[in-house]
Every structure is written in structure tokens, then in C-alpha cells.
Amino acid sequence: MIWIIVGLGAFTILLGTPLFVGVGGMALALFAAAGISLTAVMLEMYRLVSSPALIALPLFAFAGSLLAESRSATRLVALSQAWFGWLPGGLAIVALTASALFTALSGGSGITILALGGLLYPMLLSDHYSDRFALGLVTTSGSLGILFPPSLPLIVYGLVSQARIDHLFIAGILPGLLLMLLLALYASIVGARARLPQRPWDPRVAWTTLWEAKWEILLLPLILIGIYGGFFTAGEVAAIVAAYVLVVEVFIYRDLSLTRDVPRIMVESTVLVGGILIILGTALGLTSFLIDQQVPMRLLGIFEQTITSRTVFLILLNLFLLVVGCLMDILSATIVFVPLILPVAKVFDVDPIHLGIIFLANLEIGYSTPPIGVNLFLSSLRFNKPIITLYRASVPFLVIYLIALMIITYVPDLSLILLR
Amino acid sequence: MRGLRRIDAFFAKAEQVLIVIVLTAMLLLAFLQVLLRNAWDFGLPWVDILLRHLVLWLGIMGASLATRMNRHIRIEALTRFLPARHQRLVERGVLLFAAAVSTFLGVAAVDLVRQEQGTGSMAFGPVPTWMLQLVLPVGFAIVAFRFGLQTILPNEPAGGTGGGGTDR
């Protein structure tokens, strides 16, 4: 019975039913079939209010939307250009750095391609990077900052898994840096081979761009020291960051008007949060039912012959998440699958924090994976290129992402060492 | 039909105003709480409870607006390969299904509020828990109404107030 209902629900979702409807429908049907009152579904949804870090979600989302609508993208690009433009493959590294900063601060993928891609892509072309390289770079780095705090996927993973969000923030730093380092290395090699022009290092420009972007750059130490130093919880940091960004963008940079822009952005970010929260709420009912029925463990039982060790489990997890990542966005995939995989991961002694980093690094790749990774479609729309061109452009970058994923998955210390 | 659309637009306006008020209150309260706790080592326990309920309120209102703007997260893996005419048919079926599920969720929410009323538990101070839960039945009722409306009157832009999409 469980399988029929889950199968039908999955089918409606693949037909384009809003995810929360598919998930909520499954939950209702499963509870009804088991003779449990449907009120239980709502009770589970209401359970959302018991997570202390819940407030981090709307506040960081609001701060992110403010940043995305301000001119911070331009400032971050100018800053990265002044500081990294002199390296071989400099402009490519600039693009990587600016994208990672912007994604982490604005909290979501997608926005980065739209906000930064339009700036970076013509810059890369005018510096004589090949069209394919430039497209691949801009497309795949649209999700690069997801492992850095305070990205929304890290927060949502924390809410779903009950892992400490401040620990997740710290755990993502080294894996995120590794990913950037590998991509930067590749860009340098491409840049050096093609003998692309390097800009001279100009300390004056470096200083003025830093000064220009100082209020936004200050966010990084604010978040890192606040959390790493143990001064604030994730929810408190969210309150500070949201208030800070509001003041900076409205009163200091004056990029946004308090009366014209801010209410609109509030509604905009709340629609985003609402879309996530309602899936989170309905999924709580569904996953708690499935876990109650021991479904993850039963699945594990079926595959007992195959999954003999932790390594096999991790390999299968990687493959599974690659497929899921192509189909679903990171947030919904996290909400739906983390609760089901968490108990199995415990059996194989995978640390929940490490599991979170694996999840996000893995799902992030799916964003740019042909045939239906969403970054490819965003880029195709934004730069007016056929989707096939983007498939080819993203391949070398995907290879690097996969190498990084292997290291992140099979070297848990990379994620956990800063927490010891 | 125009009456129904007008009701929909009225809800949207009310939701937008409420969202701005609630999010502003949340921002102020959360910031105040951080100040109190860190500067004076003194927190107001009811503020935390209220804040978490405000997130629920925001979430439901945001989800309701997302229904109007057709901005719910979806996975369209299969329909991409259908001809346009069939796509529209599937879309209608999907909307009808969504209206039905949302109605059931709304009914479950009414039950939840009734039960909570019965227990008489308090969220904080003079505020009973059920009052804070009211957003659930009301929200799902509006969501169901909107999915229903879109089933009857599809293919018209939901635009107007609030603007759909990040067009920058």
C-alpha cells in the first residue's frame, strides 16, 4: 500500500504538480490508509514552530534578496577584478570569486546567473576567453557559493536534520574553498595556455574597490566571527545580518528606497520562503510517517547484499544524489530525502554534519548536469544560446566538480576538522 | 467570474500588506532580542515563541501568494515532452488535484485548531495557541480557492499586484 501511494504521488509530481501538493497528498493518503486522523498531517506541519533556528530562514532570505536587488553584484565584481585580475586566468578567477561571494550572501543559486552572469560573460569574452569556456564558467559557478555561510541550503539542511546550523556553517568552509581552488587552478591553466592578457596589479585600484565594497565585505567577518567565535546562534546572526544589510543598502549605499523597494523585496523574499516552508511542512508529515514505518531501514534491508560497507553506501549515495540533483532543486531535494537517508547514514557511521556537506556538494552538481539541470536552462535563457551549447560548455567544469565531490565525500576530515 | 478574480486580488493585497507588517515586526523583535540577550544578558522568552509563529504566518502567506503567482516549486520532467495541447490538459488536471489536496489540508487544519481550542493551552501570556494556528486553515482555504480558480480560468496571467518573477 505504501508503495502504491508513494508511486502515484511521485507520478503526479513528475507531471508538474506543485511539490508541496504531491508531498502533502502522499502524506494525507498514507495517514488515511493507516487509519490515522488527518489532523496528524497538520500537527506535523505545526511542529515547524518548535525549531529554534527557524527564524534564520526568512531573515537570511530577506537579506539575500536585498543584496541581490542592490548594486552589490557590480561592487563585488570590481573588487574581485582588482584583487585577482593579475593572476593567469585572472578574469576567470574573478568570476569564480565574485559568483561564490554573491551566491553565499544572496543565499540561492539561479539569482547569481541572472545578476552576475550578465556582467561577467561579456567581460570574459572581451578578454578573449573562448565562448564555450566563458559560458561553462558562468553557468556552473552559479551554484558555487552554496557551501559557504549563510547560504539557504545549509540552513534548510540544519532545520531538516536537526544538525546545528552554526556547525554546518563552519563545516562548509574548507570543502567550499577546495572546490574554488580546483576551479581556479583549471582557469589558470586555460588562461596561461591561451596566453590571455593579465592585468597589472594596481594597489590603488585594489584599495578603492575594497573601500567601495567594504560594507558588504564586512558581512563575512561578521558572520564568521559571530558564529565561529560562538558569540551568536544562527538565528541571532540572521537578525543581525538582515538589519545590517537593510541599513547598509538603504541608508549608506542608497541603492534601495525604503518606501519603494523594501516592501516589494519583503514580499518577494517571503514568496520564496513560503514556497520552501510549505514543502518543509508537508514533508514533515510524509517523512515522519515513512520513518515510523521503518521504510528507510526496510529499503536498506533489500539492498543489504549490495551495501556491504560505508564506502559502497557513499558511492551509491553520490550516484543517487546526482540523479536527484538533476531533477529537483537543492532545497526540495534536501527537505524530502535528508530525513529518509539520515537514519541509514547513521548505521554506516556517517557524521550528520559531513552528510550535509556531501548532500549539498552533490546536489549542486546536479544543477548544471545535462539534460535538465536548471542552471543550463537559466543560462540558455539569459545568454540566448541553444541548450546543446551549454551541455558541451559545462562538461569540463562538471569533471572538476566531480573530483571535488569525491574528495569531499571520502575525506570527512575536510568538513569536520574545523569543528574539533 | 470577475467577482472571483476581485476576491483573489483583494486577498493578495491584504497578504502583501500583512507580509510587510509581519516581516518588519519580526526584524525589529529579533534584533531587539539579540541586543537584550547580549548586552544586558536578559531575554524575553515569549518573544522567541512569537517569532517562530510569525515565521509560520509569513510562510503560509508567502505560499498563498506563490499560488497566485504560479511560483510554487515544481518538477516538470514528463510534461516537457508532451505536445502543447496535452500539456494544457495535464495542467488542468494538476490544478484540480492541487485544489483538492489543499482543501483536505485545510480541513485537517480546522481540526487542529478545534483540538487545540479544546485543550486550552497558551502559547505565551494571554495568547492561546489556537489563535496563532488560525493562519493554517485560513491560508489553506485561500490556497485551495486559488487553485480552484485557476482550474476554471486557466491561461490568464496572474500578474498585476506584486509582479511575478525576478526580472532584473
Side-chain angles (χ1 to χ4, degrees), chain A residues 82-379:
Chain A
W83 285 78
F84 300 112
W86 56 275
L87 292 163
L91 193 62
I93 296 170
V94 170
L96 292 170
T97 317
S99 300
L101 280 176
F102 191 76
T103 304
L105 292 176
S106 69
S109 181
I111 307 176
T112 307
I113 293 182
L114 300 175
L116 274 183
L119 285 172
L120 292 169
Y121 175 63
M123 281 169 70
L124 286 163
L125 288 186
S126 72
D127 256 26
H128 306 290
Y129 284 88
S130 73
D131 189 43
R132 191 185 282 188
F133 178 85
L135 275 176
L137 181 72
V138 180
T139 306
T140 52
S141 53
S143 42
L144 186 57
I146 262 168
L147 293 176
F148 294 129
S151 83
L152 292 186
L154 282 171
I155 298 170
V156 168
Y157 179 86
L159 288 174
V160 191
S161 68
Q162 322 244 303
R164 285 182 55 178
I165 293 176
D166 47 348
H167 283 182
L168 285 164
F169 278 0
I170 296 165
I173 293 172
L174 291 182
L177 285 176
L178 169 78
L179 203 49
M180 283 193 64
L181 201 71
L182 290 180
L183 288 167
L185 213 62
Y186 170 64
S188 289
I189 295 170
V190 169
R193 274 228 193 115
R195 298 181 197 285
L196 294 173
Q198 286 162 245
R199 293 187 166 72
W201 160 256
D202 183 341
R204 279 225 340 266
V205 179
W207 176 248
T208 46
T209 52
L210 183 64
W211 191 247
E212 264 299 297
K214 64 178 177 298
W215 296 108
E216 275 137 0
I217 289 304
L218 271 175
L219 273 169
L220 299 175
L222 183 76
I223 294 164
L224 289 180
I225 295 171
I227 285 181
Y228 201 70
F231 298 109
F232 302 115
T233 64
E236 289 179 322
V237 171
I240 297 170
V241 166
Y244 174 90
V245 171
L246 184 66
V247 170
V248 164
E249 301 300 343
V250 173
F251 298 107
I252 298 180
Y253 286 127
R254 294 170 188 274
D255 282 356
L256 301 170
S257 142
L258 190 61
T259 48
R260 259 179 301 118
D261 299 319
V262 173
R264 178 177 53 83
I265 296 170
M266 282 181 157
V267 172
E268 186 63 33
S269 76
T270 301
V271 168
L272 176 82
V273 169
I276 300 166
L277 213 70
I278 197 163
I279 298 175
L280 199 56
T282 45
L284 279 175
L286 176 65
T287 52
S288 80
F289 180 88
L290 293 178
I291 289 166
D292 232 38
Q293 300 289 317
Q294 304 266 333
V295 168
M297 288 308 165
R298 271 154 61 188
L299 274 180
L300 182 62
I302 297 172
F303 292 110
E304 211 166 23
Q305 306 293 322
T306 334
I307 310 180
T308 44
S309 69
R310 184 188 149 109
T311 312
V312 181
F313 166 71
L314 287 174
I315 292 172
L316 289 176
L317 179 69
N318 282 152
L319 293 174
F320 174 71
L321 290 178
L322 277 180
V323 175
V324 168
C326 304
L327 286 171
M328 298 171 85
D329 68 293
I330 289 196
L331 295 173
S332 349
T334 304
I335 293 168
V336 175
F337 291 111
V338 166
L340 301 178
I341 290 177
L342 206 56
V344 181
K346 279 211 179 100
V347 173
F348 291 104
D349 208 26
V350 178
D351 188 288
I353 301 275
H354 180 218
L355 184 72
I357 304 303
I358 298 176
F359 247 85
L360 300 191
N362 213 329
L363 292 169
E364 169 180 9
I365 299 176
Y367 267 5
S368 311
T369 307
I372 49 177
V374 67
N375 277 355
L376 300 166
F377 285 97
L378 282 174
S379 261

Side-chain angles (χ1 to χ4, degrees), chain B residues 83-127:
Chain B
R85 202 160 46 88
H86 294 156
Q87 273 187 21
R88 276 197 296 277
L89 203 67
V90 170
E91 177 66 13
R92 277 211 169 178
V94 159
L95 287 168
L96 189 65
F97 178 61
V101 170
S102 309
T103 308
F104 275 110
L105 289 171
V107 172
V110 172
D111 281 345
L112 176 73
V113 173
R114 285 242 180 88
Q115 271 181 25
E116 200 64 49
Q117 255 175 329
T119 65
S121 70
M122 292 297 190
F124 55 85
V127 183

Side-chain angles (χ1 to χ4, degrees), chain A residues 13 16 19 46 49 268 274, chain B residues 52-53 59 71 73-75 129:
Chain A
I13 289 171
L19 196 59
Y46 179 67
V49 300
E268 186 63 33
Chain B
R52 279 182 258 146
H53 281 88
R71 296 257 309 268
I73 299 175
R74 297 168 171 227
I75 302 162
T129 307

